[in-house]
Amino acid sequence: MTSKSSAPTSVDIVIRPMTSADVPRIRELHAAVLPLSYPSAFFLQLLLLPRRICLVAHHRSNPQSPIGFVSAALQEPLSARNTHQKSSTSPRLAGSQLKHIPGCEPTELRIELLTLGVLPPYQQSGLGRRLVQRVIEVLLDSSASVDEAEEGALVYAHVSASNKSALKFYESMGMRVSSDLIRNMYTGTKSGSSDAYLVTGRV
């Protein structure tokens, strides 16, 4: 772990949208720090779909070497989707699955955190928190419904049941486990664990 004295400052680290040139390195970073494998189509969607985004963190002096990332999807309220039929949604939020998110109404703005990762030397430096807060800001700024959402968006993520550090991180962000154990949520995990929890909150 990076000691507090050597941790990078916010001035040292740049957080920006992922570009097509970043994709190979971000795929490698996903593979290095996450227990799941993500297909090339996942990264293509992050570039092309208007309601999805991936942000990349890197040292200001070395933009070709990412040290962290976050990807997320914005789900507009049903009222907004009726007027923006072409807006893209996350597959997990399609149709009747909306009712399985505790405390979430179909008319509410939602943000799903899809992936989040930081290289071990930069963990516990506040970078993960900065990435989450920044991606929420970017997605809310892009939403036509943000003025209607007085309390902001409901943020949620699925977390591997065996990933205790991730669960602790989301709890530190003010999110809470909001489901029973979800069996067989994932396939092809490196750890062999396929179960997950749903965490939700307003960050």
Side-chain angles (χ1 to χ4, degrees):
M1 296 293 180
T2 301
S3 66
K4 190 172 182 180
S5 61
S6 62
T9 67
S10 59
V11 176
D12 298 325
I13 303 300
V14 173
I15 296 176
R16 60 169 175 79
M18 180 180 71
T19 68
S20 58
D22 295 318
V23 170
R25 294 180 182 86
I26 296 303
R27 290 194 68 181
E28 292 174 0
L29 193 52
H30 272 69
V33 301
L34 296 181
L36 297 174
S37 297
Y38 290 84
S40 56
F42 173 80
F43 299 93
L44 186 62
Q45 290 174 354
L46 293 175
L47 286 172
L48 298 180
L49 295 183
R51 293 291 184 260
R52 290 197 177 203
I53 191 173
C54 180
L55 300 182
V56 178
H58 60 78
H59 282 280
R60 187 175 300 276
S61 60
N62 194 2
Q64 304 304 317
S65 297
I67 61 174
F69 60 85
V70 62
S71 66
L74 175 71
Q75 177 73 14
E76 296 278 5
L78 288 182
S79 57
R81 292 219 317 272
N82 290 338
T83 58
H84 300 282
Q85 292 296 325
K86 293 184 179 180
S87 69
S88 300
T89 62
S90 170
R92 291 189 187 133
L93 286 173
S96 62
Q97 291 184 343
L98 286 173
K99 66 184 180 182
H100 297 307
I101 302 177
C104 180
E105 298 296 330
T107 54
E108 187 173 10
L109 199 64
R110 296 165 296 278
I111 291 176
E112 179 182 12
L113 298 176
L114 300 170
T115 61
L116 172 66
V118 175
L119 286 175
Y122 304 97
Q123 292 173 5
Q124 298 186 2
S125 68
L127 181 55
R129 180 180 294 268
R130 284 182 60 200
L131 283 163
V132 170
Q133 291 173 334
R134 182 58 184 151
V135 81
I136 291 171
E137 291 173 1
V138 171
L139 287 174
L140 289 181
D141 285 347
S142 72
S143 172
S145 306
V146 69
D147 291 338
E148 301 172 9
E150 295 182 0
E151 299 181 3
L154 180 75
V155 180
Y156 75 101
H158 291 89
V159 183
S160 172
S162 63
N163 195 343
K164 304 303 182 185
S165 62
L167 289 168
K168 185 176 180 180
F169 167 79
Y170 285 117
E171 288 177 356
S172 75
M173 294 286 293
M175 301 172 72
R176 296 291 180 266
V177 172
S178 301
S179 72
D180 294 328
L181 188 66
I182 304 171
R183 297 289 185 182
N184 301 316
M185 176 73 188
Y186 303 115
T187 58
T189 61
K190 299 174 186 176
S191 64
S193 175
S194 59
D195 301 333
Y197 289 108
L198 175 72
V199 295
T200 65
R202 298 183 187 280
V203 179

